[in-house]
Amino acid sequence: MKSAVILLIGLLSAYSYLNQEENDCYTEFQSWKIEYGKSYTGQQEVFRFFNFQINRNKVNKHNSDPNKTYIMRMNQFSDLSEEEFSLLYLTHYISNEVIQQNQITDDQYQTYKNDKTQNSVDWRKITQVKDQGQCAGCWAFGAVGAAEAWFYVKNKTTILLSEQQLIDCDSQSFGCNGGYQNLALKYIANHGLNDARVYPYIQKQSASCKYDTGPYKTNGAQSVSSNNFKSYLTEYPLVVVVDATNWQFYGGGVFKDCNKSVNHAVLAVGFDENDNWFVKNSWGTSWGEKGFITLAPGNTCGITSYAYRAI
């Protein structure tokens, strides 16, 4: 009898604890909705809270592991399942298409010797973090980032260019359904881009192309082999495609939990003395390290597999 009473007390305590945990989580969920301007009704509220609970537990479990080299943090994606996040924010590239679509070689892939190659380089301060929203236009943001960096380094010009023009007007890509950053770089060289204020971003593809030409033209595009990646990155940032499947809750530190199945275009913006890579994303400044991520050395997430630069 005594043991049964003890078991009952234990079950009641556990139930009370779980209720308290859920109450705390729900309070956190309400605060999170206010912070990110989210609003739901009916069953949608229940479903989003369910995802929030799962993600909160995932983040807490990860951060309690002392062997992890990076932290996770709840952010604007906290109400999304892994599947939803992938569908909304990642593009499922076919590697052969990425590498073969009118690719321009970098001196027949011979190793490029750059006397200016340094032990570390950091271009993060020359490029502004933007937010693609729920439009799979990362290819446009990556290409625009590469062009903006080229203008800054080569022409001493600081300019914010229009991703929307590429999404609306580059017929070789697919707007908010994905595209090719190498072909976008060729579009910029052939057509030119407008200032982002002239052709502002609206997080969706317009019904028609507003301006198919612009005053800001580069001279061309060039692919960058893994052998030359670091040397070229010393000169200015490169647009790359990576596996960002597990990036949803990245909050800081050195990330390495990925493979090389590329699904997202970003901008490589430097490396440190330990050969960790600095990368600019297009998910706003509330994600990661104020919009950036640090990747472990080597071909982490496939970063050196498919790289391009403006020339």
Side-chain angles (χ1 to χ4, degrees):
M1 180 66 179
K2 184 177 180 180
S3 60
V5 171
I6 292 173
L7 177 60
L8 179 60
I9 293 173
L11 289 172
L12 289 172
S13 298
Y15 178 75
S16 176
Y17 173 77
L18 289 173
N19 274 350
Q20 184 59 47
E21 279 285 294
E22 186 166 337
N23 287 337
D24 290 345
C25 187
Y26 189 70
T27 299
E28 187 177 325
F29 177 60
Q30 298 305 317
S31 298
W32 174 86
K33 286 197 302 179
I34 294 171
E35 180 179 357
Y36 290 98
K38 304 282 187 174
S39 178
Y40 315 108
T41 58
Q43 290 299 314
Q44 190 67 215
E45 173 90 3
V46 176
F47 177 67
R48 292 302 161 197
F49 177 53
F50 177 73
N51 284 341
F52 187 90
Q53 286 179 295
I54 292 175
N55 291 329
R56 182 176 181 258
N57 290 336
K58 178 180 180 179
V59 168
N60 290 340
K61 181 179 180 181
H62 174 94
N63 291 342
S64 66
D65 185 346
N67 296 317
K68 295 296 184 181
T69 58
Y70 67 98
I71 63 168
M72 285 185 173
R73 182 166 49 84
M74 299 292 274
N75 56 29
Q76 69 266 39
F77 307 131
S78 297
D79 63 340
L80 300 176
S81 67
E82 291 180 9
E83 294 76 17
E84 287 177 305
F85 172 76
S86 179
L87 287 171
L88 290 171
Y89 293 95
L90 303 180
T91 301
H92 299 282
Y93 289 92
I94 299 174
S95 298
N96 287 338
E97 288 183 314
V98 175
I99 199 168
Q100 291 175 5
Q101 287 271 359
N102 300 319
Q103 183 172 338
I104 304 166
T105 61
D106 62 354
D107 302 323
Q108 305 302 315
Y109 292 104
Q110 295 176 2
T111 301
Y112 171 67
K113 298 297 184 182
N114 180 2
D115 294 335
K116 297 181 181 179
T117 299
Q118 305 170 22
N119 291 328
S120 64
V121 65
D122 190 348
W123 298 110
R124 284 178 289 189
K125 291 184 179 179
I126 75 163
T127 182
Q128 179 176 309
V129 173
K130 302 177 185 179
D131 191 350
Q132 69 185 67
Q134 290 187 1
C135 166
C138 59
W139 60 276
F141 281 83
V144 163
E148 290 173 345
W150 182 86
F151 276 107
Y152 179 88
V153 173
K154 296 296 184 179
N155 294 348
K156 309 302 180 186
T157 301
T158 300
I159 186 70
L160 295 179
L161 298 174
S162 174
E163 292 85 7
Q164 191 66 44
Q165 182 178 341
L166 286 175
I167 289 170
D168 291 348
C169 306
D170 184 358
S171 60
Q172 296 189 80
S173 286
F174 314 104
C176 286
N177 293 315
Y180 302 109
Q181 57 287 334
N182 54 329
L183 300 185
L185 283 174
K186 291 183 70 176
Y187 175 97
I188 296 170
N190 294 332
H191 296 257
L193 283 183
N194 284 278
D195 187 298
R197 292 170 296 183
V198 174
Y199 206 147
Y201 186 59
I202 60 173
Q203 297 192 21
K204 63 180 180 180
Q205 187 171 7
S206 302
S208 61
C209 172
K210 185 177 179 181
Y211 303 118
D212 195 31
T213 60
Y216 297 98
K217 286 187 177 182
T218 59
N219 295 322
Q222 184 178 35
S223 68
V224 177
S225 68
S226 57
N227 290 337
N228 297 335
F229 189 91
K230 193 172 183 179
S231 294
Y232 281 132
L233 184 54
T234 300
E235 295 185 354
Y236 51 89
L238 312 173
V239 56
V240 299
V241 284
V242 295
D243 170 41
T245 304
N246 299 323
W247 288 19
Q248 185 172 357
F249 298 112
Y250 172 78
V254 180
F255 187 91
K256 57 183 179 181
D257 290 345
C258 51
N259 54 44
K260 300 173 185 177
S261 178
V262 296
N263 53 25
H264 188 51
V266 290
L267 194 70
V269 291
F271 52 88
D272 63 19
E273 62 278 0
N274 296 316
D275 288 334
N276 297 308
W277 306 111
F278 302 137
V279 174
K280 184 186 82 165
N281 203 353
S282 54
W283 295 341
T285 56
S286 63
W287 177 87
E289 299 171 322
K290 295 183 179 179
F292 295 88
I293 184 172
T294 303
L295 299 182
N299 193 20
T300 302
C301 299
I303 187 173
T304 66
S305 294
Y306 309 110
Y308 305 87
R309 70 174 189 161
I311 56 174

